Amino acid sequence: MIRFLFLSIFLSVASVAGLSAVEAQQMKTVFEGSDSYSGISKVTIIGKFCKVRIVPAEGNDVNVKSIIEAMEVHNDYRIVSETANNELTINVQVPQLDFASHAGEITISATPNLQIVIENTSGYVDMQQVVDANISASTTSGKILAKQSRGIITLQSKSGSIDATNLQGTIKLTSSSGNQYVNNLEGDITLDSPDGPIVAENIKGKLNISTIAGSQTLANIEGEVIQRCSTGAIKVSNSKITLTTQSLNGSVNLFGSTGVFNITTTKGLIAGSQVKLIGSSSFTTTEGKIKIKFDNKKEELTFALKSEKGPLIAMGTSKMKKLNTGTGAIVVTGYSTTGGQNYL
């Protein structure tokens, strides 16, 4: 009896699973369109759940291809396009009381200097090989992927991740909790993610980066970097930079980097190894410690160190409260309240 009951339950579950699989294969095309527009200077897309793809145009016209699929056929599934004053607006519409599964995709062929504004909720944004772009894309939970493009690019996602690779121009990425990964970017770059981690590699130009709890991991950076962080850890490696960092409780760790460094923390540790200074630099902390190993020759550096309570050590010389030593042209200024300072 028990075996029979177990078999009946198993067959019922399998039947339901089988129906779900069949239903998943029965998504129906409820809208499909293909249009071409000439003389368009701006496109606004209210994409909702639809994935929006931006590709380079092959001619002078803006081409739009779209499709919506759903489990249930309903006439209110549609994509409405309107033009006025050389501007194209594309709006995805769904039935007012719709609980069926649906998916969609809109593909835009972007002509040079075309301004594109995308507002999505769960829909992804995917842009690749767009030249002279002027693109602003925002999502709520959808991911954003941007590759091999140049221009003014502004990308924003609340919880979705942002992946930007091989971009040039004025680039601004903003997320709330979503991860940001950027690689091979060049230009004026702003990265902002309060709670999400940021990984930035192979960057040239000016980088302005800000997090609260999110960590910052930078590698192979060349140019000017301005950092702000609250509790997230900061790591900078193998870079040639002018670095200005402000952190509260987060640690700052430098490795294998050359440049000018001005770093301030409240409680966070400032640590470094294989660090080479090419100009006078400063390291300041209230309760955190400072420990840095320089690649400079001893005769290149002069140390001007102060601490209210922490010990001071510079190139083998140690004192309390105040330490001035060295004759080099590069001045290392260090200040701490309770944390010790150790420069090797």
Side-chain angles (χ1 to χ4, degrees), residues 155-202:
L155 309 176
Q156 180 177 356
S157 180
K158 288 187 177 180
S159 59
S161 62
I162 300 177
D163 187 335
T165 307
N166 297 325
L167 303 182
Q168 294 180 339
T170 302
I171 302 160
K172 183 176 181 179
L173 311 184
T174 304
S175 57
S176 296
S177 58
N179 298 359
Q180 290 186 22
Y181 173 71
V182 301
N183 188 16
N184 289 327
L185 269 58
E186 183 174 353
D188 190 347
I189 302 157
T190 300
L191 309 177
D192 185 5
S193 182
D195 294 325
I198 297 177
V199 177
E201 300 178 322
N202 305 309

Side-chain angles (χ1 to χ4, degrees), residues 189-230:
I189 302 157
T190 300
L191 309 177
D192 185 5
S193 182
D195 294 325
I198 297 177
V199 177
E201 300 178 322
N202 305 309
I203 309 297
K204 288 185 179 181
K206 183 176 181 180
L207 173 60
N208 195 316
I209 181 169
S210 177
T211 60
I212 296 177
S215 61
Q216 301 179 22
T217 304
L218 311 184
N220 299 313
I221 313 297
E222 185 176 340
E224 179 183 2
V225 179
I226 299 174
Q227 289 180 307
R228 286 174 297 277
C229 188
S230 181

Side-chain angles (χ1 to χ4, degrees), residues 21-305:
V22 171
E23 289 176 354
Q25 296 174 0
Q26 291 179 345
M27 292 280 281
K28 304 173 183 65
T29 299
V30 293
F31 180 90
E32 190 169 11
S34 180
D35 299 288
S36 182
Y37 303 88
S38 60
I40 297 297
S41 60
K42 179 180 179 180
V43 178
T44 300
I45 304 168
I46 314 299
K48 295 183 174 68
F49 59 88
C50 287
K51 178 178 181 179
V52 177
R53 297 180 64 246
I54 307 172
V55 298
E58 296 181 357
N60 297 323
D61 293 340
V62 175
N63 296 315
V64 180
K65 292 183 178 180
S66 55
I67 185 171
I68 298 177
E69 295 181 335
M71 290 296 301
E72 298 179 5
V73 176
H74 199 294
N75 291 334
D76 286 344
Y77 280 113
R78 60 184 184 271
I79 296 177
V80 178
S81 300
E82 298 178 343
T83 58
N85 301 320
N86 297 325
E87 296 185 9
L88 170 64
T89 301
I90 300 171
N91 200 327
V92 176
Q93 297 186 2
V94 298
Q96 187 174 4
L97 298 175
D98 179 71
F99 299 98
S101 298
H102 47 237
E105 183 170 302
I106 301 171
T107 301
I108 304 290
S109 65
T111 54
N113 300 310
L114 177 68
Q115 182 180 359
I116 300 177
V117 178
I118 301 170
E119 298 177 12
N120 269 12
T121 50
S122 59
Y124 287 17
V125 175
D126 183 354
M127 59 172 288
Q128 299 194 33
Q129 298 180 339
V130 181
V131 179
D132 297 327
N134 186 348
I135 296 174
S136 175
S138 64
T139 69
T140 301
S141 57
K143 298 179 181 179
I144 299 178
L145 176 66
K147 290 186 176 182
Q148 297 176 333
S149 298
R150 182 179 72 238
I152 301 173
I153 301 170
T154 303
L155 309 176
Q156 180 177 356
S157 180
K158 288 187 177 180
S159 59
S161 62
I162 300 177
D163 187 335
T165 307
N166 297 325
L167 303 182
Q168 294 180 339
T170 302
I171 302 160
K172 183 176 181 179
L173 311 184
T174 304
S175 57
S176 296
S177 58
N179 298 359
Q180 290 186 22
Y181 173 71
V182 301
N183 188 16
N184 289 327
L185 269 58
E186 183 174 353
D188 190 347
I189 302 157
T190 300
L191 309 177
D192 185 5
S193 182
D195 294 325
I198 297 177
V199 177
E201 300 178 322
N202 305 309
I203 309 297
K204 288 185 179 181
K206 183 176 181 180
L207 173 60
N208 195 316
I209 181 169
S210 177
T211 60
I212 296 177
S215 61
Q216 301 179 22
T217 304
L218 311 184
N220 299 313
I221 313 297
E222 185 176 340
E224 179 183 2
V225 179
I226 299 174
Q227 289 180 307
R228 286 174 297 277
C229 188
S230 181
T231 59
I234 293 175
K235 297 180 180 179
V236 181
S237 62
N238 303 318
S239 298
K240 297 179 180 179
I241 53 177
T242 299
L243 177 66
T244 301
T245 302
Q246 292 184 338
S247 177
L248 294 177
N249 297 336
S251 61
V252 180
N253 196 306
L254 310 174
F255 174 79
S257 295
T258 300
V260 176
F261 303 89
N262 295 289
I263 300 174
T264 301
T265 70
T266 301
K267 295 182 179 180
L269 167 71
I270 302 175
S273 61
Q274 298 181 29
V275 175
K276 186 172 183 178
L277 302 181
I278 60 173
S280 296
S281 301
S282 65
F283 304 92
T284 303
T285 183
T286 304
E287 299 179 30
K289 296 181 180 180
I290 302 173
K291 185 175 182 180
I292 301 175
K293 184 175 182 180
F294 294 117
D295 268 359
N296 297 79
K297 296 179 181 179
K298 185 176 181 180
E299 55 269 22
E300 294 177 329
L301 305 177
T302 294
F303 292 89
L305 311 179

